[in-house]
Amino acid sequence: MIRRTADERGTVDRLRFPADPWRLVESQFSAEDLGVTETLFAVANGYLGMRGNVEEGRESHSHGTFVNGFHETWPIRHAEEAYGFARVGQTIVNVPDAKVIRLYVDDEPLLLPVADLIDYERSLDLQDGVLRRELLWRTPSGKRVQIRSQRMVSFVERHLAVMTFEVTLLDAAAPVAISSQILNRQDGQDEYHVRSASLGEGFDPRKTNQFTGRVLQPQTQFGDDERLVLSYRCTNSGMTLAVAADDLLETENEWDVRTLAEDDLAKHVFRVHAEPGRPIRLTKLVAYHTSRGVPSRELVDRCRRTLDRARETGVEAQLALQREWLDDFWARSDVEIPGQPGVQQAVRWNLFQLAQATARAEGNGVPAKGLTGSGYSGHYFWDTEIYVLPFLTYTSPRYARNALRFRYQMLDAARRRAAELSQKGALFPWRTINGEEASAYYAAGTAQYHIDADVSYALVQYVRTTGDEDFLRREAADILVETARMWEDLGFWRANGDDNFHIHGVTGPDEYTTVVNDNLFTNVMARFNLRAAAYVVERMKADHPEDYARLVDRLSLGAYEAAEWVRAADHMSIPYAESIGIHPQDSHFLEREIWDLAHTPEDKRPLLLHYHPLVIYRYQVLKQADVVLALFLQGQHFSAEEKLADFEYYDPLTTGDSTLSGVVQSIVAAEVGYHELALEYFVSSIFVDLANLHANASDGVHVASAGGTWSALAYGFGGMRDSEGDLTFDPRLPQEWESLTFRVQWRGSRLRVTVLPDAIELDAETGDGAQVVVRGEQVKVVPGEVARVALDGQGPVRPGRPSLRALSGNRREDGTLITATVPHS
């Protein structure tokens, strides 16, 4: 378990990465952590992403340019086959790299690890979305060369990236060559046949799958003095891609250009007779277009249109449009924490990553790593609905709608998957790109049936928050109906007369406990799903009979189905252990012994990389929050006493091996009174990538953890809840903080919420205002007025943290003693 103090100093090298509220700045180049910095300085827009590789292209941990949803398929070969196993794997493709701009002075290449760098700074500006680098290089012959570059993936023009590269000799004339390239790297190698460092790091299921054959089959190669074009078709998936680049050189020096266009390389080589003080400025405009099957020549035409339009608009105008887009994003999304510069920077960086992962993802999902790396093979998980969509719903609801519509477009595949598993209705895949299940390990994958309830939860939260009834009636209701059908069919009634509805053979969010009976999280969320579906169907029947008739027709909805859903929900089995006074994670969880995490060597962490799954499955030990997540998402069904008891039991058992866990533990810790612990979990979460706390930031940004950052701020410290149809607040401001300000969209109005040590202030920045509840008091928020409600403290305060010692020695229902041990290794 990662333990950090609330003071973030020591997690980040502040000499190299100074705290700046609106920029991530690197003041010194290092080749020792290239994988991490490639992730941290990536630029993306939800459709197109470029890792923060250096322009020169030689020094890298893993080169990376990705297009959301562009993937190759491959047959999953199981050691032992069984019916219903996932058959076809899907892996995001590292597409041809247009970032490469190589520099030679006196025919000597600029290579950063060995270069004599007099000055160096690289920065990612969170206000204008531009990655900048400025350095002063002393060449081997002693000439000083100033190099400035910019890189931007446009939020406005979805398919467009803009780069500039400016070189100025300061001392003496010299021949300068600039090689601007589109380079297709095959099979994890660069053009010098050096394997990517990311492919040689041993076993880790969190990484991407490796291809064994050629993925991209060349289709088109074209080049003239200004434009380069390459296009390809994926060998198995049949997806097509085109990339084109315009290279425009401006200088008062004499120069010429040579062009090459081959299967896997297209480049312009500009040869310049450079004089001191005369800048050489290269502008590179790049367009990517992909399709599930449109011929590549059509995509080439689209690239040409994108570039023609960008040239007509001009680089400065594109930069201005990017700034305007981000100004609007931050007006909706910014969270302000005065007096905490390091935390403020980290929070904004995480929120910016959410924009980069989601803003232009139209028609696609949100990959677990966004478009900053190939970790988890570019798959979409339930992380999106539970950790990312709350931020989108409350700040950028259109993006939330896009993500939910993507799930709707998966519905037919989900129906097929349910049928394959002998279930009615629909079962969404645990991990996927194209809608088909891609998880080869069913115990910790397909068995996570809770994905259905997670999608339904996000859907209901979106509709309740935005009032988008049109989407609900036309499309979203289908998801609720088909998922409710799956739960009603999956569960069963005991024949011994206990009158409870049970769900067996599933895995909850905790992947260290698999294929269990009556997992509490699954049952609680299934109950929500069943009730929500029934409520929507009955309301449509009463208030929108025509829409209801269409729903009945397209889904063959039976007259009594909704009543059966309500009956199952009302009798859902919710495990509870009277002897200990907690909710067991599943019906047999307490029969296991406790894993003694306090005495587990650090070199055996995370557990999944050092112990066989069967060893882990025999213990009470959690990869991530499970019951505690249910306490947050369905908190209205648990008393304050139950929440405290459950949190104190499960917190010492939770390893934190998943980055999904810290934000949830922070939220519930804040609610039940462990304020210092809540802040500790929060700080660890916001620095997961910035400080590489899980040692895998090189694989890409942990997008779900970034989304959880906002939830920890709004739900945890802001005390916001929305589960009963009202927007309520019960704040828990950290003692070290002066204040906390965040924004939420609520039924057409944008509310600014400011939590102070002794009060909460609310005002309507847009719209007509809203009615909210603060600690049971109705508060009307209207435009032009600040509604201030005095607070008597920040809720209960409990020192320290729950202890494992308090758990060992408990007795089960049968009277046996629970003990804590560490497996032999």
Side-chain angles (χ1 to χ4, degrees):
M1 189 181 303
I2 295 171
R3 301 295 192 193
R4 295 285 184 267
T5 66
D7 185 350
E8 59 85 16
R9 290 176 300 177
T11 62
V12 174
D13 179 355
R14 286 303 182 190
L15 293 177
R16 183 178 168 205
F17 299 100
D20 184 307
W22 283 108
R23 296 189 307 156
L24 179 65
V25 180
E26 180 188 38
S27 62
Q28 180 181 352
F29 175 80
S30 173
E32 295 181 1
D33 59 353
L34 283 175
V36 175
T37 56
E38 287 164 10
T39 292
L40 301 186
F41 289 96
V43 289
N45 65 7
Y47 172 77
L48 171 64
M50 295 179 163
R51 280 175 65 79
N53 305 107
V54 298
E55 284 81 351
E56 295 74 35
R58 286 289 298 276
E59 303 77 24
S60 77
H61 174 271
S62 56
H63 295 284
T65 301
F66 305 98
V67 176
N68 196 350
F70 187 76
H71 67 279
E72 178 64 307
T73 57
W74 44 276
I76 299 176
R77 305 192 185 283
H78 300 275
E80 296 186 20
E81 291 285 355
Y83 177 80
F85 278 10
R87 299 295 178 199
V88 180
Q90 307 140 45
T91 301
I92 196 168
V93 174
N94 197 337
V95 301
D97 185 3
K99 301 188 302 290
V100 181
I101 304 175
R102 298 206 167 110
L103 173 65
Y104 304 83
V105 177
D106 286 328
D107 291 329
E108 296 290 340
L110 172 60
L111 301 173
L112 293 193
V114 297
D116 183 0
L117 298 179
I118 302 171
D119 290 313
Y120 174 92
E121 181 181 278
R122 177 167 57 164
S123 66
L124 177 60
D125 193 311
L126 309 178
Q127 288 181 292
D128 64 15
V130 178
L131 176 65
R132 295 179 174 87
R133 189 186 67 171
E134 183 168 345
L135 56 88
L136 186 58
W137 171 37
R138 182 184 287 113
T139 70
S141 62
K143 297 172 182 175
R144 292 180 305 148
V145 183
Q146 185 178 69
I147 301 137
R148 294 189 177 101
S149 64
Q150 295 183 127
R151 183 185 302 165
M152 178 191 85
V153 172
S154 174
F155 285 111
V156 178
E157 291 283 348
R158 185 180 187 225
H159 302 273
L160 179 68
V162 177
M163 288 161 267
T164 63
F165 192 83
E166 184 175 285
V167 179
T168 306
L169 300 186
L170 301 184
D171 301 315
V176 170
I178 299 175
S179 179
S180 178
Q181 305 181 7
I182 304 174
L183 178 61
N184 179 42
R185 301 178 175 91
Q186 287 287 339
D187 306 323
Q189 297 184 351
D190 68 11
E191 63 277 32
Y192 299 101
H193 305 292
V194 176
R195 279 174 58 83
S196 168
S198 66
L199 298 182
E201 298 176 336
F203 163 75
D204 190 336
R206 300 167 296 183
K207 295 185 179 296
T208 189
N209 295 99
Q210 299 176 27
F211 296 115
T212 57
R214 185 175 178 99
V215 175
L216 295 177
Q217 302 297 331
Q219 303 291 298
T220 303
Q221 308 85 37
F222 168 82
D224 62 21
D225 285 353
E226 290 188 344
R227 181 164 291 177
L228 305 170
V229 177
L230 295 175
S231 72
Y232 299 88
R233 181 181 182 277
C234 277
T235 302
N236 297 324
S237 72
M239 296 193 74
T240 50
L241 171 142
V243 53
D246 282 358
D247 288 312
L248 311 172
L249 194 76
E250 300 173 80
T251 183
E252 296 178 358
N253 298 292
E254 294 182 10
W255 62 278
D256 62 27
V257 60
R258 293 188 175 183
T259 302
L260 174 70
E262 299 177 336
D263 284 354
D264 294 317
L265 174 65
K267 66 179 178 179
H268 288 132
V269 179
F270 298 95
R271 301 184 302 176
V272 183
H273 301 287
E275 297 291 335
R278 293 184 178 180
I280 307 163
R281 179 182 173 87
L282 174 68
T283 298
K284 187 171 188 176
L285 305 173
V286 181
Y288 287 85
H289 281 267
T290 60
S291 171
R292 292 189 180 274
V294 169
S296 59
R297 60 181 178 274
E298 163 65 17
L299 301 182
V300 170
D301 289 342
R302 296 181 192 178
C303 285
R304 285 171 171 151
R305 290 196 295 270
T306 299
L307 293 181
D308 291 346
R309 188 167 59 251
R311 290 182 67 165
E312 182 178 345
T313 304
V315 170
E316 293 307 314
Q318 292 291 344
L319 294 172
L321 288 170
Q322 182 88 334
R323 177 58 187 255
E324 182 181 336
W325 190 97
L326 279 163
D327 284 347
D328 188 52
F329 169 79
W330 288 116
R332 304 188 311 269
S333 312
D334 193 22
V335 177
E336 300 161 51
I337 310 171
Q340 301 287 328
V343 170
Q344 180 70 83
Q345 179 193 46
V347 165
R348 284 183 174 142
W349 182 86
N350 278 275
L351 298 184
F352 182 74
Q353 297 310 314
L354 295 174
Q356 294 207 130
T358 66
R360 302 308 307 271
E362 301 114 353
N364 292 292
V366 181
K369 297 293 186 179
L371 298 168
T372 63
S374 59
Y376 291 113
S377 298
H379 290 163
Y380 317 132
F381 293 78
W382 67 287
D383 308 14
T384 299
E385 282 73 25
I386 297 302
Y387 292 88
V388 177
L389 255 65
F391 168 75
L392 299 182
T393 292
Y394 278 106
T395 63
S396 301
R398 180 164 59 86
Y399 307 154
R401 190 180 195 273
N402 288 338
L404 289 166
R405 288 207 72 246
F406 176 69
R407 287 294 190 186
Y408 173 75
Q409 291 159 12
M410 282 185 176
L411 194 53
D412 283 341
R415 289 183 178 112
R416 292 192 298 271
R417 185 58 175 162
E420 197 169 30
L421 271 69
S422 304
Q423 303 298 154
K424 297 177 183 177
L427 178 60
F428 286 100
W430 181 62
R431 60 188 297 175
T432 190
I433 296 178
N434 62 14
E436 305 293 336
E437 178 64 79
S439 173
Y441 185 59
Y442 75 89
T446 296
Q448 294 199 44
Y449 283 63
H450 66 84
I451 177 68
D452 269 19
D454 304 331
V455 173
S456 297
Y457 179 88
L459 191 160
V460 170
Q461 184 179 61
Y462 164 79
V463 173
R464 183 172 56 223
T465 302
T466 63
D468 190 354
E469 297 285 337
D470 175 69
F471 171 58
L472 176 64
R473 293 193 299 270
R474 285 193 304 106
E475 297 179 341
D478 295 36
I479 294 177
L480 293 176
V481 168
E482 295 288 38
T483 52
R485 283 172 165 170
M486 192 283 297
W487 291 121
E488 198 270 335
D489 183 55
L490 177 66
F492 64 95
W493 301 88
R494 282 286 191 192
N496 61 4
D498 74 352
D499 199 29
N500 280 331
F501 188 77
H502 298 269
I503 298 174
H504 285 187
V506 299
T507 299
D510 171 31
E511 294 162 25
Y512 284 173
T513 312
T514 67
V515 194
V516 298
N517 296 341
D518 288 328
N519 168 255
L520 181 125
F521 178 87
T522 301
N523 286 18
V524 166
M525 294 297 287
R527 180 176 64 185
F528 164 85
N529 195 163
L530 289 161
R531 286 175 174 165
Y535 173 77
V536 167
V537 166
E538 292 302 324
R539 204 182 74 187
M540 285 178 64
K541 182 178 181 180
D543 299 341
H544 302 277
E546 292 184 1
D547 290 324
Y548 174 74
R550 283 190 283 267
L551 181 74
V552 169
D553 181 63
R554 67 177 178 262
L555 299 182
S556 300
L557 182 63
Y560 301 105
E561 283 192 75
E564 285 301 307
W565 302 337
V566 171
R567 179 169 172 258
D570 289 346
H571 293 82
M572 186 67 68
S573 175
I574 306 297
Y576 188 75
E578 294 283 354
S579 63
I580 303 178
I582 66 157
H583 292 90
Q585 186 168 300
D586 59 73
S587 61
H588 298 290
F589 187 79
L590 296 181
E591 296 175 9
R592 307 177 181 95
E593 301 304 328
I594 288 173
W595 190 305
D596 189 348
L597 291 173
H599 293 92
T600 301
E602 283 298 320
D603 63 1
K604 295 297 183 180
R605 315 288 286 273
L607 302 187
L608 78 162
L609 299 185
H610 300 282
Y611 295 91
H612 191 283
L614 287 176
V615 176
I616 298 173
Y617 296 164
R618 294 188 185 108
Y619 284 82
Q620 292 185 45
V621 63
L622 280 65
K623 184 182 180 188
Q624 63 203 72
D626 196 300
V627 170
V628 172
L629 181 57
L631 301 180
F632 165 46
L633 298 181
Q634 292 289 283
Q636 72 274 25
H637 296 297
F638 299 89
S639 68
E641 294 76 17
E642 288 174 332
K643 290 178 184 178
L644 177 61
D646 285 344
F647 180 80
E648 289 185 333
Y649 190 89
Y650 288 103
D651 188 71
L653 301 179
T654 307
T655 62
D657 287 352
S658 168
T659 60
L660 299 182
S661 200
V663 289
V664 176
Q665 290 169 277
S666 176
I667 292 167
V668 178
E671 181 177 357
V672 301
Y674 285 100
H675 289 222
E676 292 182 0
L677 182 58
L679 186 58
E680 179 180 322
Y681 279 131
F682 170 73
V683 170
S684 293
S685 296
I686 62 175
F687 286 100
V688 158
D689 292 311
L690 289 168
N692 194 23
L693 297 183
H694 283 243
N696 65 346
S698 58
D699 298 328
V701 168
H702 292 83
V703 172
S705 181
T709 291
W710 186 87
S711 291
L713 290 162
Y715 291 116
F717 304 135
M720 187 178 81
R721 296 293 186 273
D722 60 0
S723 55
E724 292 294 307
D726 293 323
L727 192 63
T728 68
F729 297 92
D730 184 5
R732 300 289 192 269
L733 184 71
Q735 185 176 1
E736 295 89 340
W737 291 8
E738 301 172 16
S739 65
L740 165 67
T741 298
F742 59 97
R743 283 93 177 155
V744 293
Q745 302 257 12
W746 181 251
R747 297 174 184 169
S749 295
R750 185 172 76 225
L751 307 181
R752 181 173 60 206
V753 182
T754 299
V755 181
L756 301 163
D758 60 351
I760 182 171
E761 296 179 346
L762 304 104
D763 64 291
E765 293 185 328
T766 65
D768 298 327
Q771 191 88 8
V772 303
V773 178
V774 178
R775 291 187 178 172
E777 178 184 343
Q778 293 284 337
V779 179
K780 189 172 184 178
V781 185
V782 298
E785 297 181 19
V786 175
R788 180 183 174 91
V789 180
L791 299 176
D792 181 14
Q794 298 292 329
V797 178
R798 306 178 194 281
R801 66 188 321 120
S803 169
L804 182 68
R805 289 191 299 273
L807 308 187
S808 184
N810 275 318
R811 292 193 178 273
R812 304 178 178 89
E813 301 287 293
D814 62 3
T816 57
L817 201 66
I818 299 176
T819 60
T821 60
V822 179
H824 298 296
S825 59

